[in-house]
Amino acid sequence: MRNYGKTYQGLDITNMLTDRYGRKTVVAKRKNDYCVGKGYDKNRKCWSQGYYDFSSHKKALNFAKKVSYK
């Protein structure tokens, strides 16, 4: 897994999906699970909508691909 930096809370970003308009959706590693952040702002290091409690990176990434901006 590649590391794309850290969120404002210090979570490691493992994936960053970008749509054709430049909007971002990220997958981040928490202590015991993964989360997905839609509408990620690289300057503020936070997202507008979060989805939590994914038990594996694969599940979080598959979900991120589904909810990412089209």
Side-chain angles (χ1 to χ4, degrees), residues 21-67:
Y21 302 109
R23 297 175 295 199
K24 299 185 182 347
T25 300
V26 297
V27 175
K29 173 71 172 116
R30 299 196 308 168
K31 185 175 181 180
N32 297 316
D33 61 4
Y34 290 85
C35 62
V36 173
K38 185 174 178 181
Y40 186 73
D41 182 333
K42 287 176 80 173
N43 294 325
R44 294 177 42 222
K45 297 185 178 185
C46 61
W47 49 76
S48 58
Q49 178 65 50
Y51 305 92
Y52 302 90
D53 300 323
F54 295 94
S55 59
S56 72
H57 178 259
K58 184 176 181 178
K59 288 179 182 179
L61 182 57
N62 286 339
F63 182 82
K65 289 177 181 177
K66 288 179 186 175
V67 299

